[in-house]
Amino acid sequence: MLVLPALVDAVHTYLSQGANVRPIDHLLHEQKILFCCYSRLMATLWVRSERGRYRGQGVMPEHLAGACTTEAEGLALFLARRPSLVICTQLLEEGSGLQLLAEIKRQQPDLPTLLFLQHRNRPLFQQAVNTHSDGIVLEGEMGSGHVVEALKVVASGGMYLEPLIGQELAGSQNGSNPGLTPRELEVMQQVVYGLNDREIGEKLFISNDTVKYHLKAVYSKLGAHNRTRAAVSLVLMGLVAPPNPLLPAS
């Protein structure tokens, strides 16, 4: 895959509010991104900037998954372009960003997705986690370090649940331990903290294969398809702690 320098023109406008754009440049390097947002101007700027780099070819470059402002457009681009990362806002010009991501994850559960929420209330948080997005961030927390952290975690194969959302929803669903061992819960706690398989192994002093073995056992016991669904389920059941808030210095 190729670099997407056009993110500086449009996606950076959205993602880098109050943040240094260089970490975002590095994190998004070599990703084939589908960007779905509520601003037609922002989406158009991204596409026009990228088309300008390939002027004279007559077609859009193959590495550009695209930008859109409606749920229908987003699903069509997902099916046609097969992105490696989907970034989507809760509100769209037409349709729902939550419904779009839920459908994308239904069709391709392992595709990394990042959801931005414009509103802040518990029912919305519950709807957001039900999309099974790998990352969920509040727009109101931009500039606190959450955006860069979420991109880093999701792009590396982890999950990122905004601490404020995790704390609000922790223990909100009744449920007993479905037979998870202390070690399995320990592994899943690290998943909730945003660590990928390699990082979990280093943290717990176990091999990468052992981490995968524990995760597979957890998925089976929970009836979950991936780490995100399993981790969120355990947070909601109160069996693992929610993510820790970032320090102001972050």
Side-chain angles (χ1 to χ4, degrees), residues 3-250:
V3 183
L4 288 178
L7 290 171
V8 177
D9 302 290
V11 180
H12 281 185
T13 304
Y14 183 78
L15 298 180
S16 62
Q17 296 180 41
N20 187 336
V21 298
R22 289 190 176 183
I24 295 177
D25 276 332
H26 176 70
L27 293 172
L28 299 181
H29 186 70
E30 295 186 344
Q31 293 287 344
K32 185 176 181 179
I33 299 171
L34 172 59
F35 181 55
C36 308
C37 66
Y38 52 84
S39 170
R40 185 166 293 274
L41 173 61
M42 191 179 302
T44 302
L45 283 174
W46 181 17
V47 173
R48 284 184 176 176
S49 175
E50 192 67 5
R51 181 179 285 121
R53 294 178 62 248
Y54 291 83
R55 185 173 300 165
Q57 294 185 8
V59 295
M60 290 298 292
E62 283 300 317
H63 70 273
L64 178 61
C68 64
T69 61
T70 73
E71 181 181 342
E73 291 170 339
L75 185 58
L77 283 170
F78 158 71
L79 294 172
R81 303 304 303 251
R82 294 299 177 181
S84 64
L85 173 66
V86 178
I87 299 173
C88 187
T89 58
Q90 165 203 339
L91 301 177
L92 297 176
E93 190 175 43
E94 293 180 8
S96 164
L98 278 71
Q99 292 179 11
L100 172 59
L101 288 186
E103 178 59 23
I104 287 175
K105 293 296 282 187
R106 186 188 70 81
Q107 295 195 33
Q108 191 175 342
D110 294 330
L111 175 63
T113 60
L114 181 59
L115 171 64
F116 282 87
L117 298 180
Q118 282 92 345
H119 300 147
R120 183 172 171 175
N121 57 73
R122 186 166 182 169
L124 176 61
F125 293 167
Q126 292 172 328
Q127 293 177 41
V129 298
N130 287 336
T131 67
H132 305 300
S133 295
D134 302 279
I136 304 176
V137 181
L138 291 168
E139 271 197 359
E141 293 301 305
M142 283 185 169
S144 66
H146 290 275
V147 172
V148 174
E149 184 67 16
L151 285 168
K152 180 182 72 174
V153 170
V154 171
S156 66
M159 66 154 284
Y160 188 87
L161 181 63
E162 179 111 17
L164 291 174
I165 299 174
Q167 292 170 355
E168 175 70 21
L169 296 180
S172 61
Q173 295 182 2
N174 295 325
S176 58
N177 188 336
L180 272 65
T181 67
R183 191 55 152 179
E184 290 166 353
L185 288 172
E186 192 175 16
V187 168
M188 291 307 301
Q189 184 66 74
Q190 303 310 313
V191 172
V192 173
Y193 288 155
L195 276 62
N196 58 33
D197 292 358
R198 177 186 57 79
E199 294 167 334
I200 293 172
E202 293 174 353
K203 178 78 172 181
L204 302 180
F205 303 103
I206 57 179
S207 70
N208 196 54
D209 286 341
T210 301
V211 173
K212 293 182 183 298
Y213 173 82
H214 287 310
L215 290 174
K216 185 176 180 180
V218 171
Y219 301 162
S220 177
K221 294 175 182 179
L222 291 176
H225 298 295
N226 56 38
R227 64 197 297 120
T228 301
R229 298 189 186 192
V232 170
S233 295
L234 293 175
V235 169
L236 297 181
M237 294 166 65
L239 295 177
V240 297
N244 295 320
L246 291 179
L247 298 176
S250 298

